[in-house]
Amino acid sequence: MLASARLFSIETSGVQPYSDARFAPGDALLFGAETRGLTRAALALVPPERQLMIPMRAGNRSLNLSNAGALVIYGAWRQQGFAGAAPQAYPEPRPGPRV
């Protein structure tokens, strides 16, 4: 299954912000270990334009792996219109105070 997937890496050394990427169904996202990142061999499988990074404030190293995964995966799912999401039952909005 992964043999036909478009690979994206998410690394501190990535060349473009994850938010600029356009994800498609079937894409695969590679995250490295928090302490080591991805191996050179893994990064060699990903074209430079798909080596992504999460912008960070100066002086901050990176997010932990679970937060980085949640951020990027949820962003990719949002681009797909939350395909497959469970239907939500929202209550009718209550009228607010009149201004």
Side-chain angles (χ1 to χ4, degrees), residues 4-87:
S4 63
R6 267 188 337 160
L7 296 177
F8 288 84
S9 64
I10 293 80
E11 274 283 322
T12 55
S13 63
V15 296
Q16 76 166 323
Y18 79 95
S19 54
D20 289 351
R22 294 294 154 239
F23 300 105
D27 287 346
L29 307 175
L30 302 176
F31 295 85
E34 289 179 36
T35 56
R36 298 180 309 279
L38 289 165
T39 65
R40 288 181 192 226
L43 284 172
L45 299 172
V46 182
E49 66 275 8
R50 285 187 265 158
Q51 294 181 11
L52 310 177
M53 53 84 143
I54 297 171
M56 299 297 298
R57 293 182 60 107
N60 291 5
R61 196 185 73 173
S62 63
L63 296 175
N64 69 37
L65 183 57
S66 65
N67 287 334
L71 181 71
V72 178
I73 293 166
Y74 205 82
W77 190 33
R78 180 192 56 78
Q79 286 185 10
Q80 305 312 306
F82 299 110

